[in-house]
Every structure is written in C-alpha cells, then in structure tokens.
Amino acid sequence: MLDAIDRRLIALLRTDARMPLAKLTAALGITRATARARLDRLLTTGVITGFTVTVRNPEPGGVRAVTLIEVDGRHAESVIRRLSGLPEIRALHTTNGRWDIVAEIEVPTLGDFDTLLRTIRQFEGIANSETSILLAARKGM
C-alpha cells in the first residue's frame, strides 16, 4: 500500500528520474536513509519497474499517433504479440470499454505512418481501429 510520501516520491521521479537522493530527501522532508529504503522497497515490490528517458523534441518531421484497437476476443493475445513486435509501436496498453488496445506509434514520415496502419489493420483478429495523430505534448509522463 502506497502512502502519501511514496506517491510524492514517485511523482518527483516522474518529473526527473535522475533526481539525486539529496534533492529527493529535501523535497520530501525525510532522511536520506528513509528515502533510500522507500525507493528500494518500491523497486523490490515492483511498484517501480524501471527508469526511462523522455525525449521532449521528437525527430523533426516525425509522426506520433495513438491507435485505438478493437480485437475479436479469440485473437487478443496473438494481436498483442504481433503489435509488440513492431518497432514503430512505442507503447502498448490493454484497456476496457469500446477499445481493447491502445498503441502509441512513432514513425519518421506520413508515408511510413500510412504503411504501418495498413499493416496493423490486416492483422487477423482486429475488428476495428481509430487513430489520432498527436500534435503537441503538453505534459510528459
């Protein structure tokens, strides 16, 4: 169970995953030993699964998009495996409601984007999809 300090620690790391422990302790108002113990516990229990790099400025001319995918239930796992194998898929999420999968896409050109969408739509088990091109990032994860 996460408490308020754990949630604040995670929020700080989301804004800067490389924040030094001294800065974390100052921001949280806790000792270095307490911060280290909490961070170690969050890593050991799998609450934090890793640290990543966020790129603020995608390659000029690149196309980023989110594709919402409806899957025939019998094919869900095979569709997820196939999507996972595409290097243009930056993240893949399962969800509930009308759409079963959300795919975050990044490709160099609109032509590549068109080709990728045609490829994805031909996967057996994909019943429907809807894609929105991302225009500008307002807040990173």
Side-chain angles (χ1 to χ4, degrees):
M1 188 75 159
L2 300 179
D3 65 12
I5 293 174
D6 290 334
R7 286 190 292 278
R8 287 178 44 220
L9 174 59
I10 291 167
L12 288 167
L13 291 171
R14 280 186 172 145
T15 60
D16 180 2
R18 294 178 43 134
M19 186 177 292
L21 201 54
K23 271 188 150 180
L24 288 171
T25 60
L28 296 170
I30 59 177
T31 67
R32 182 179 180 88
T34 299
R36 170 56 58 201
R38 284 178 177 265
L39 185 55
D40 288 345
R41 180 178 46 80
L42 292 169
L43 286 163
T44 302
T45 59
V47 172
I48 295 176
T49 58
F51 300 86
T52 189
V53 174
T54 303
V55 179
R56 291 207 182 272
N57 298 318
E59 186 177 313
V63 178
R64 295 178 41 229
V66 174
T67 297
L68 308 170
I69 301 168
E70 180 184 357
V71 178
D72 175 2
R74 299 172 296 150
H75 298 283
E77 289 306 314
S78 66
V79 168
I80 290 168
R81 267 193 310 279
R82 289 193 71 186
L83 290 169
S84 295
L86 297 173
E88 301 89 352
I89 303 291
R90 297 293 181 236
L92 201 56
H93 311 273
T94 55
T95 185
N96 66 333
R98 170 149 168 55
W99 305 104
D100 302 302
I101 299 171
V102 176
E104 296 178 36
I105 296 170
E106 186 173 348
V107 294
T109 68
L110 280 174
D112 295 325
F113 180 66
D114 184 45
T115 300
L116 179 65
L117 286 182
R118 277 198 317 271
T119 299
I120 290 172
R121 289 178 179 145
Q122 292 175 7
F123 286 179
E124 182 178 1
I126 292 185
N128 197 7
S129 68
E130 180 178 315
T131 301
S132 295
I133 293 177
L134 299 175
L135 301 175
R138 301 299 178 148
K139 179 180 177 183
M141 291 284 285

